[in-house]
Amino acid sequence: DGLHQKDRQGAYDIILQEAMDGTDSKVNIKYVSPDESMALFESCTDCCTSPANNSAKFYDWKGDIKELQAYNYAKVYIFSSLENPAYTSLKQIEGKRVGTRTGMPYGSDVEGAKFTTMPVDTILENINKLKAGKIDAFLAYVPDAYQAFKNAGVKPLSHALSNPVAIHIDRMVCRGAPSTFTDSLDKKLKNMRATGKVRRILGDNYMKAF
């Protein structure tokens, strides 16, 4: 919620709609869960997926992958209860019960960490599990997590703002899509970033690279 939504009113939806305005290509948009999106993209021959990138730290895509202009930077944080000091590294949660989100890529550093992951479908579920003492912490992306806290009417939980455990560059990536489409879209996204339009659309969801 807030980024990609089925009503097409998420910030990324609005950015992409504007960037695709006037394109001659016929585009079929599907809204699916993160794990389904990755599964579909792995097997397609003429498609794009968002948000994603072509970093080996996060994905192992096959074929000729084209990355488009970044429209935001998503940062992975360790969230814990407000009563606890913020965790600043993955090593600090070794051996703990850590909530994650089903199908969400958190990067190779997280995948190689020594803790028990307990996946659920939404950030809200992890918020409730942490409150109930069923997990010790959970991993979540910002700005997604901030939107979840806002929707739940709760304060952002404890996290080390200057110590994200991973940074995911949010882009659209394509395989087999016509270059007339990807080149046009990339050019428009670049212009929208340069003029500040992307930042204005993102609003509170805008994240600096570092």
Side-chain angles (χ1 to χ4, degrees), residues 3 9 30 40 42 60 70 74 82 90 95-96 105 112 125-126 136 148 167 179-180 185-188 191 194 200 207:
L3 302 179
Q9 293 304 303
K30 295 182 179 180
L40 287 170
E42 284 174 351
D60 185 25
L82 290 171
L90 293 169
K96 296 187 181 295
E125 290 176 81
N126 275 325
D136 302 302
I167 298 177
S179 59
T180 51
L185 185 58
D186 197 50
K187 183 178 180 180
K188 287 185 179 180
N191 180 259
R200 290 194 295 273
M207 293 285 128

Side-chain angles (χ1 to χ4, degrees), residues 4-180:
H4 279 307
Q5 300 176 177
K6 288 186 177 181
D7 64 3
R8 301 192 182 184
Q9 293 304 303
Y12 293 176
D13 301 313
I14 295 170
I15 291 170
L16 292 173
Q17 284 173 35
E18 181 158 342
M20 287 189 289
D21 185 37
T23 180
D24 294 329
S25 300
K26 293 181 179 179
V27 180
N28 179 29
I29 299 176
K30 295 182 179 180
Y31 287 84
V32 296
S33 63
D35 53 340
E36 187 177 354
S37 179
M38 285 192 286
L40 287 170
F41 189 69
E42 284 174 351
S43 61
C44 78
T45 57
D46 178 10
C47 68
C48 303
T49 188
S50 170
N53 58 53
N54 198 29
S55 168
K57 270 185 169 277
F58 289 91
Y59 305 99
D60 185 25
W61 306 127
K62 306 300 181 185
D64 186 15
I65 304 298
K66 180 165 184 175
E67 289 185 319
L68 302 191
Q69 289 288 320
Y71 35 78
N72 206 10
Y73 295 83
K75 301 179 182 182
V76 181
Y77 287 100
I78 305 166
F79 289 93
S80 59
S81 64
L82 290 171
E83 293 76 22
N84 294 335
Y87 292 115
T88 59
S89 72
L90 293 169
K91 191 168 183 63
Q92 292 177 319
I93 55 174
E94 287 184 357
K96 296 187 181 295
R97 302 164 300 169
V98 180
T100 57
R101 188 175 175 190
T102 304
M104 191 70 74
Y106 295 99
S108 55
D109 291 342
V110 171
E111 291 169 6
K114 299 176 182 178
F115 49 74
T116 301
T117 58
M118 302 177 68
V120 295
D121 290 332
T122 67
I123 296 173
L124 179 59
E125 290 176 81
N126 275 325
I127 294 172
N128 292 333
K129 287 182 72 174
L130 183 65
K131 185 178 179 180
K134 295 181 179 179
I135 55 175
D136 302 302
F138 67 84
L139 296 171
Y141 279 97
V142 166
D144 307 49
Y146 292 162
Q147 186 70 38
F149 296 140
K150 182 178 179 180
N151 292 345
V154 299
K155 293 180 179 180
L157 296 174
S158 182
H159 63 292
L161 192 58
S162 60
N163 293 94
V165 297
I167 298 177
H168 181 282
I169 304 177
D170 283 359
R171 308 176 183 269
M172 177 178 279
V173 295
C174 301
R175 180 196 293 110
S179 59
T180 51

